Each structure stands twice: as structure tokens, then as C-alpha cells.
Amino acid sequence: MDLIPDLPSGPLDVYRKQASFNWKKMKLFLESPEDIEIANEAFKYMEEEPIFQHPDRDLTLEEERHLTFQRMKKVYNSDILYPDDLFMNRNKHRVLNNVISLYDWSLLARKSLLIEFPMGAFLGLGTDRHRKFINSLMNREIGFAFCLTEISHGSNTKALRTEARYDIESESFILHTPDFEAAKCWAGCLGKTASHCLVFAQLYTPDGVCHGLHNFVTPVRDPQTLQPYPGVTIFDMGAKIGLNGMDNGVIMFNHYKIPRENLLNKTGDVTVDGKYVSPFKDPSKRFEGRVGITEFGVINLTKALTISIRYSAVRRQFGPENQGEIPVLEYPLQQYRLFPYLSGLYVLHCFSVKLKDRNMSFRLAVMGGSEDPDYLANFGQEIHALSCFSKPYSGWMARDAVQESREACGGHGYLKAAGFGKIRNDNDANCTYEGDNNVLLQQTSNWLLSLWVARQRTDFTRFPMGTVSYLNQYNKYLNMKWSSDTFNRNLKDEDIIQTCLDTYCWLVCWLCKATSQDMETLKSSGKNKFDIKNNCQIFRAHNLSLAYGERVFITWFLESIKEADVSLQIPLYRLLALFSLTRVLKHVSSYVEGGLINGENVVITNIEEHITRLLSEILPDSVSLIDAFAPPDFFLNSVLGNADGRVYEHMYRKMLTSPGSVTRDTNWQEMRYNIPSKL
Ligand SMILES: Cc1cc2nc3c(=O)[nH]c(=O)nc-3n(C[C@H](O)[C@H](O)[C@H](O)COP(=O)(O)OP(=O)(O)OC[C@H]3O[C@@H](n4cnc5c(N)ncnc54)[C@H](O)[C@@H]3O)c2cc1C
């Protein structure tokens, strides 16, 4: 417990004293003592280093990028933020990345993209001949950008048009951008800094055959002068709505030659005389990014909810007659706007930790090579389906929570110093990069629907993570009906959660069935495969992906609760019951359509009553529940969310000390009331 410093006393004490559990114990449920120790050291270091101090004025684009770059160098040179054992200790890497993300997403993106991401690509897709690049990266002599997206194509990667044609005579690939629409764009660190790119291009052998997208190590700038090489045109994409410490750029190649060896050739190569050879495909790499991005939502939810819950606990408006004003957190409506996201934060955190662990087990199994290939294929499919769900879900949950939190803080929430603007704008990009959310989510339903088609000859328990084993009992679930007693008033939270899980089993089975039937109907009406798939997305396939994933969220958090200290279990069950009920309620139209509800709406009333009860039970715990997640004030960087709850003192100090706040405007002479009259 000494690891976790006490919180300063102030107006939040009222709620902290009401908590039914020890918040430090809760923190230890969320993070191990080792992780807390690593994070504490990093927090202290960054808080004390001059380069990490928050500027007291808005920076220009160039200043912001320069500062972020200098900070990145500081990170790389720090034994605390970048210790020697970082790559051997993935957990340490995760914790330190989280600390950096809490501080600034641009810094994390720069640090990851320029050096770590290419290192991963070389280890995963490269071979011995690329060792020189790894050495240069380790010596910090070069830096990379990752170039996949083109001006006219992003999600549809098959349609990308950058070409890499092999030339036997010079033993090189000739990279070419046919026109501006095929220019690579959005690549982070490309605008001003990267010396090399990992370029995805269509590989053509001299016989004119296209072998699809391959990855090419491409030097684009002189690392010393930062001038692009002849044959390469680069331009910067300019200011964005967030992540402005990062320089996203556009690049075009004009018959630009790179050595044959620069092809990352683990999954496919071209011989000196121009023959294409492909030894095998490595399935272990493709999920890594999305698994990691799932955790990004946790960071943004943490920041937004720390600010809004603490502020709501001290902000007073209205009250019963003659009894003074009450904190806005006391209003059930305010609780309903914030607590489901608080429960979502707990659920998402536990899910993303488990997903990372399971992904790591999968990758180790692939590398070990001794596992049954069917087992690996099933494991890989499950990880893929889950990460294609959880990356969008986490970005969207954070997006919605940040907006609700901003509004929950009223006008003051709109101040830049409240912090929501930066969280919102930086989180926004998570919904698009590493796969647009809506496009990605389709992969989860595609997989589920393919399983459904094969349901009569499949044993669903063969999937190692157990996320679809209930499909074995699809007949039982499809016959399920809610009775007027379902979710009855006397149900305990554990039983509520179980009923929600059963409801999700019904929902997934029914959505699989209904989507497949719709597809059959469209097929018999003469629609082609493409149209059939698209016409089943809105009310069916999209919801199917959500239902599948939400059920896994609940199941995995339930596992975590059972491992928690008994003193924490009641508040955790409450959170999970609230999460489950509010999410179950969002699928009501399917229950009506699919006949789960027959006639009476009493079950919905029961659910609403339970939600109202849970909100009031979570209220006394709410501040401590968010304290267990909250970063130090320096990292939250919000006048509304400090741990001492002294909101108005912090606002006063910030406003008074902001440059120019109490002086006359420099243009004051032109702002005097001497507007010429037309009269
Ligand atoms: C901050 C940031 C950093 C980035 N960094 C990089 C980087 O380093 N390297 C890189 O290569 N790229 C990068 N990107 C690009 C990013 O990966 C792409 O923007 C993303 O893959 C989406 O592609 P798109 O922009 O072409 O969207 P589109 O594919 O054009 O999608 C546009 C809209 O159409 C919808 N849509 C598309 N297809 C379908 C469909 N089949 N069904 C239903 N709806 C559909 C999408 O949901 C979306 O709403 C970055 C983007 C951002 C914002």
C-alpha cells in the first residue's frame, strides 16, 4: 500500500469517506505492485524533467512537432522511460507506453512509429539481410514511416496502386506512383522527419504478373540533411484536428530504384533472375496493432471520467427547498450519463489485459511450432475476430464517454484547460487508423456467419478461448423466451449478469440465423454476393459483431471479479451488472423482432428498475472507483479534475496566470469603442 500515495484532502473527501471499499486495494486489483512501481517512477521522472513541462501558451504547428521530437529523444535517452530490458520485458513496455500515452498521444505515436514499429516489421517480415536496418535503428541513425494508405484508397487495400516492378538488369525494384490518387498519404512521421519508409506496393515480376502487396524498405530522405532523394516527392499534410505533435505526410515515387534486398521477404521473395518464390505465410503478426489499440480507449476513458466524476462530485446546482444545493453527481440523470462508462472502463481494462495475454500465448505457440495447426488456426481466428471487435468498440466507447463527460461538466467543460478537447481530438483518430472501425467490425460478423453456416458439422468448443462454445447449443438458445419473471426485482447482481449472458447467447444465435436468412432471401431475389453482404450490415451483421464481443467482455470481467479480493467483489458485481444491463437494453429491437419478448414489456421495466437501483448503489463508491484509475494531476492536466477537488481554486489560478489574461489586448487601440457611425 506504501506504493500508492494518499490523495490530498478537499471537497472530494465527502464521497471518499462513503466508499464501501479501500480504493488502494482496488488499484491493486487493476494493476500489479510491480506495474505501479514502474509507473510511479516514470510519472515522477516526467513530472520533474523540464522538457515535459506543459507549455503555458498555444504552440505553432512547427513548435509542437519540434517539442514532441525533442521529448521523444529524451524518452529514448532515459533509463527510466526506455530501460535496456524494455524489449525483453513486454509488460514493462506496456506500462511505460501507458504512462507516455497519459501524457501525450503524439509522443507515443512518434516514439512507436519512427523506431519500434519498423523494428517489429523487420523481426516479423524481414530476414537476415535486413539486419543492417535493425542495427541502424538501434543506433538511432534512421527513422521510419509506415506507408500503406493512398489518396484514393484506404480500407480497400487490394485496390492500392503503388507499383514495385522488378528490373533484372539492375537487380532492383522500381517504385512508381502512377498519379496523385496513388500517392501514399497519412503516414506518421513522413511529413518532415522519416529517413526511410516501409512502403506497401503491388509487386510485379518481369513477366508482368502482379503478386499483390508487399513491403519494401525505402530510403526516402538523407538522414543528415533531411532532404528527399531525387525521384521522391514528399509533402506534409499540415495541421490536423488532433495529434499535431506528429507530422503526417504524402509521398510519390517517380521510377525510383531500390535494391532487390529491400523487399521484406519472409512471406515472398523475387530471385535475382526475376522469379517469385513464396515459402509460407506468417499468421502471427496481423493482430498486434489492433490488440494494442484496444487499450488506448482505456487511457482516454480514464482521463475523461476522472475529470467528469470528480467535477460532478463538487459542482453544486439546485437542491431540495431550504437544504442547500447538492452536487450534480447526486442527480440520477447525471449518474446514468457517466456510470455506464465507468463500468465500461473497468470491463474494457480487464478485457484488454486478458486479450494481450492471450495474444501473447498465441504468438508464442506460433513461434514454438509444436502446436497442432488446427488449434493454432482456431486460436488465430478467435483473436482476429475479437480484436476486430474490440478496437472499434474501445474507440467508440471512449469517443462517447469523452463527449458525455464534456457535457456533464457544463460550460467549464468547454474550457481548453478542462482537457476534454485534446482527449477528444486525439482519441478520434483511433476510430479510423489501423482499420476504419465500421469496416473492421465487418470481419467479426463475417467470421461468425461462416461458423453459423457450418454449425451442423462444427464442434464450437474447439475454439481455445471459448468465445463461441455456446453455438453448440443454438437450438436451446433459439427457443429461449423472457418470462415476466426475467430480471425480477429480487435478482442478485450475479444472477442478473448470468441472465444477461444467456440473453447474449440468444442474441448471437438469433442474429446469425436472421442474417443468414436475410442473405438467402436476397440471394433468391437475384442480388450478387457484394450487395447481399452490404445489405445485411445495418440491423443485422453490425449488431452481431457487437453482441458477440459484449458477451466476451462480460464473461472475462466476471472471471476477473472471481479472482478479486472479497472486499471488492460487491462493487465490482454492481459495475458489471450495470454494464451488462445497459448494453443488453441497447438491443431491444432484436428481442422484439426475434420473439424473445412476447407481448408484455415488464422485463424492460425490470431492467430499468435494476439500472436505477445500481446507479444509486454505485454513487457512494463512484469517486473512489475512478480514483483507482486516475493518473497524477500533472498527467490529467485539467483544472476540473485534480485529486484535491478544489476546482474553483485551480480555475482561478489558471485564469490569472495565463499569459495575457489580465493585460490589455496588444491591439487594444483598434478595439476601443470608436467604431465610425454611419449616421
Ligand atoms: C491520425 C491518422 C494517422 C494515420 N497513420 C497512418 C500511417 O501511419 N500509415 C498509413 O498507411 N495510414 C495511416 N492512416 C490512414 C488510415 O489507416 C486510413 O485513414 C484508414 O485505414 C481508413 O481508410 P480511408 O481513410 O481511406 O477511409 P475509407 O476506406 O475511404 O472510408 C471512408 C468511409 O467509408 C466507409 N466505408 C468504407 N468501406 C466500407 C464498406 N465496405 N462498408 C461500409 N462502409 C464503408 C468507412 O466506414 C468510412 O466511414 C492514418 C490516419 C489517421 C487519421
Side-chain angles (χ1 to χ4, degrees), residues 173-208:
F173 284 102
I174 300 172
L175 286 184
H176 186 63
T177 310
D179 49 52
F180 176 66
E181 288 190 15
K184 293 288 175 193
C185 63
W186 275 111
C189 301
L190 175 63
K192 298 285 176 192
T193 22
S195 63
H196 287 64
C197 289
L198 286 171
V199 177
F200 278 89
Q202 304 288 357
L203 189 160
Y204 287 87
T205 37
D207 53 9

Side-chain angles (χ1 to χ4, degrees), residues 146-149 153-155 185-188 243 248 429 432-434 436 438-439 442:
F146 173 83
C147 300
L148 177 69
T149 309
H153 288 100
S155 307
C185 63
W186 275 111
L243 297 175
N248 294 75
T432 295
Y433 61 45
E434 280 279 342
D436 169 86
N438 281 290
V439 176
Q442 295 182 26

